[in-house]
Amino acid sequence: MSIAFPAPDAAVVARRDAIIEGLSALVAPEALVTTEDERRAFETDGLTAYRKMPLAVVLPSTTQEVSAVMAFCHANGVRVVPRGAGTSLAGGAIAQEDAIILGVGKMTRILDLDFANRIARVEAGITNLAISGAVAHEGFFYAPDPSSQLACTIAGNIAMNSGGAHCLKYGVTTNNLMGVTLVTNDGTVVEIGGEHLDSGGYDLLGLICGSEGQLGIVTEATVRILRAAEGARPALVGFSSVEDAGACTAAIIAAGIIPVAIEYMDSEAILITDDFAKAGYPRDAAAMLIIEVEGSDEECADMLARIEAIAAQFNPTSIRVSKSEAESAAIWKGRKSAFGATGRISDYICMDGTIPTGQLAHVLERIGAICAEQGLRVANVFHAGDGNLHPLILFDINKPGELQKAEAAGDAILKLCVEVGGCLTGEHGVGIEKRELMRFQYAQEDLEQQMRVRNVFDPAWLMNPAKVFPLEGRVDGRRAA
């Protein structure tokens, strides 16, 4: 393994039977997973190259049950790894042998819909797409739309501050989150934020969103729902070079045009996804942009005309505007299925870094060179509008050394993102994948300050302990006190 895990606490592992007995008194029998075969379903997440068998898995159904489990684990020194749907691509939900997984997958209820004030209160185990499904009959939707939205939970979206294709216009999770019910490490239940955009006091909600399950367990969330636009039309623009596609993206943003989405695919990704989705992508293009605008027919036509005029300056090989809802659905089916379609043909790791849009052309060229140096292929598919990159580095797990080559290429790409003025992650989080790279972006003093904030919530580091911060040089709240 290239990524290290801390040694499990032998004393906790030795008390496994007693810990399970204690947990069994807090939840229904079907909510406690203890056999090896059943626990194996929880040993990894979207970063499938790494696996750890949890001590046990607990699947509570209410906030009160979560509180009881957290209080028990705190009193017994048991580590807790929060889990939504396990779609994390950075290893954020991978467990340890001395930790339980606490999953919120049974907590899927819609608690309240307030269309007048444009908010929905939901349990944290509900899927992202289900929120939009619950409000669509009134012409509303929930804006963040990660590619895994059919499966991923709002709890995981909050933990990683997820975005999606339409984040260019509507923002990511933090821009659409109003409040949460949080169960802290010792079982205390607190309400943070609320039903209004501005709540009194410190912005603790901004601290919780993106904290990767280190500050507590989110059991309920109040999210902002929006009126659906009158209409939307995507356009496909093919280019003869990745540099032209990157430069065109930067030019559209620089012109002050904010489409609802600008998604990028290179030739590798175009062929992979079109073979699967039959979306009618330009198969001869070196790169392609999906540019979607929304509004009335007149607004869409005007914005698309301006975008076409800009694209014409960058040697497009083709420009095709969707003419029907079926055509639009096919275009987006290809984009939304890109990760799954790639998994049909190869093992891969999906990186996640963010850069200034003006650096797209340069960074895309360097990504190709970095992967070529390792003898690997790369398929680039990402949110070009806000510079959130998702290069898929293809490798063969059955060939010795190929995973290590892919990880080396991934590290180099993330360092490149920081070097050009970006950061290590856009929406996948740090998890275990980027943990040791945190020193490349932050000075030790910066990391220590972040850890001190973490320690206020969890001084013993019982919550998702192997994630985010480098294993060496950690500031333990008990010693710091």
Side-chain angles (χ1 to χ4, degrees):
M1 282 190 176
S2 301
I3 299 175
F5 284 81
D9 186 331
V12 171
V13 175
R15 291 189 286 117
R16 180 172 183 268
D17 290 343
I19 291 168
I20 290 174
E21 183 179 357
L23 292 170
S24 67
L26 305 176
V27 295
E30 63 271 18
L32 187 58
V33 179
T34 60
T35 69
E36 183 173 345
D37 285 347
E38 291 174 325
R39 284 182 290 141
R40 197 168 299 283
F42 297 87
E43 67 178 353
T44 190
D45 56 13
L47 190 66
T48 55
Y50 294 89
R51 300 169 185 270
K52 290 288 181 180
M53 187 72 78
L55 189 77
V57 179
V58 187
L59 303 171
S61 297
T62 66
T63 295
Q64 290 69 33
E65 287 185 350
V66 173
S67 173
V69 170
M70 293 298 290
F72 173 84
C73 290
H74 181 264
N76 288 275
V78 178
R79 296 180 171 92
V80 178
V81 175
R83 185 181 177 100
T87 58
S88 170
L89 292 166
I94 295 177
Q96 295 175 228
E97 297 92 334
D98 60 352
I100 69 160
I101 281 182
L102 193 154
V104 295
K106 289 181 177 289
M107 303 177 67
T108 60
R109 293 183 301 159
I110 299 283
L111 300 173
D112 185 42
L113 297 177
D114 184 346
F115 294 106
N117 290 302
R118 300 184 300 165
I119 57 173
R121 191 163 65 90
V122 300
E123 289 185 325
I126 193 170
T127 62
N128 175 285
L129 192 59
I131 299 177
S132 287
V135 300
H137 66 285
E138 292 288 343
F140 284 80
F141 75 111
Y142 178 62
D145 60 338
S147 293
S148 58
Q149 66 181 149
L150 183 65
C152 65
T153 65
I154 197 67
N157 290 180
I158 293 169
M160 302 302 178
N161 193 19
S162 301
H166 292 87
C167 65
L168 176 60
K169 179 175 181 179
Y170 293 113
V172 294
T173 299
T174 190
N175 306 113
N176 295 274
L177 182 66
M178 311 285 283
V180 299
T181 300
L182 183 80
V183 181
T184 63
N185 179 242
D186 63 359
T188 303
V189 180
V190 294
E191 299 292 335
I192 297 174
E195 298 181 352
H196 310 284
L197 283 174
D198 296 307
S199 298
Y202 290 115
D203 182 16
L204 295 178
L205 188 62
L207 188 63
I208 297 301
C209 189
S211 60
E212 303 199 26
Q214 296 189 102
L215 307 184
I217 305 285
V218 173
T219 60
E220 297 176 13
T222 301
V223 300
R224 183 171 63 156
I225 54 175
L226 301 174
R227 272 284 182 189
E230 185 176 336
R233 292 175 70 191
L236 294 179
V237 185
F239 297 89
S240 58
S241 73
V242 296
E243 292 79 13
D244 283 338
C248 180
T249 299
I252 291 171
I253 301 300
I257 301 172
I258 305 296
V260 69
I262 304 179
E263 295 293 293
Y264 174 98
M265 289 189 188
D266 65 9
S267 58
E268 193 85 47
I270 291 169
L271 296 177
I272 290 171
T273 54
D274 199 52
D275 284 344
F276 173 75
K278 313 299 181 188
Y281 291 164
R283 298 176 66 91
D284 59 344
M288 176 191 80
L289 296 178
I290 301 173
I291 306 170
E292 184 169 81
V293 300
E294 64 179 16
S296 66
D297 289 343
E298 293 78 10
E299 289 173 320
C300 289
D302 176 70
M303 198 175 301
L304 284 169
R306 294 167 62 196
I307 289 170
E308 286 187 52
I310 293 173
Q313 304 171 37
F314 297 95
N315 309 307
T317 58
S318 63
I319 299 179
R320 178 166 65 90
V321 177
S322 171
K323 293 180 174 59
S324 68
E325 289 188 12
E327 192 174 357
S328 298
I331 288 172
W332 280 112
K333 179 183 178 183
R335 172 59 185 91
K336 291 288 187 178
S337 62
F339 292 178
T342 304
R344 294 167 68 234
I345 67 163
S346 177
D347 301 302
Y348 69 87
I349 55 174
C350 175
M351 305 312 298
D352 166 55
T354 302
I355 63 169
T357 54
Q359 294 283 347
L360 273 173
H362 165 66
V363 170
L364 289 171
E365 181 181 11
R366 285 292 304 133
I367 287 175
I370 287 169
C371 292
E373 289 166 6
Q374 296 288 347
L376 301 174
R377 297 156 58 200
V378 60
N380 284 291
V381 50
F382 56 83
H383 314 312
D386 67 341
N388 186 189
L389 307 182
H390 292 321
L392 309 182
I393 303 172
L394 312 186
F395 69 98
D396 186 346
I397 193 66
N398 296 312
K399 289 185 178 179
E402 283 230 334
L403 172 60
Q404 289 71 30
K405 288 181 180 180
E407 290 178 335
D411 285 357
I413 290 170
L414 292 174
K415 289 179 179 179
L416 173 65
C417 291
V418 176
E419 288 168 356
V420 301
C423 59
L424 292 172
T425 183
E427 58 176 339
H428 293 177
V430 175
I432 62 170
E433 179 189 51
K434 306 163 191 170
R435 184 187 64 206
E436 303 306 322
L437 288 174
M438 287 285 277
R439 286 200 180 91
F440 192 81
Q441 181 166 347
Y442 298 103
Q444 183 63 24
E445 293 80 6
D446 300 324
L447 290 173
E448 288 178 1
Q449 185 60 35
Q450 293 179 47
M451 286 186 275
R452 290 188 188 101
V453 173
R454 184 202 190 288
N455 289 339
V456 171
F457 291 81
D458 179 25
W461 286 68
L462 295 178
M463 293 293 299
N464 221 7
K467 317 296 166 54
V468 180
F469 296 105
L471 294 182
E472 298 296 326
R474 292 188 164 196
V475 177
D476 188 310
R478 295 168 298 183
R479 292 196 299 269

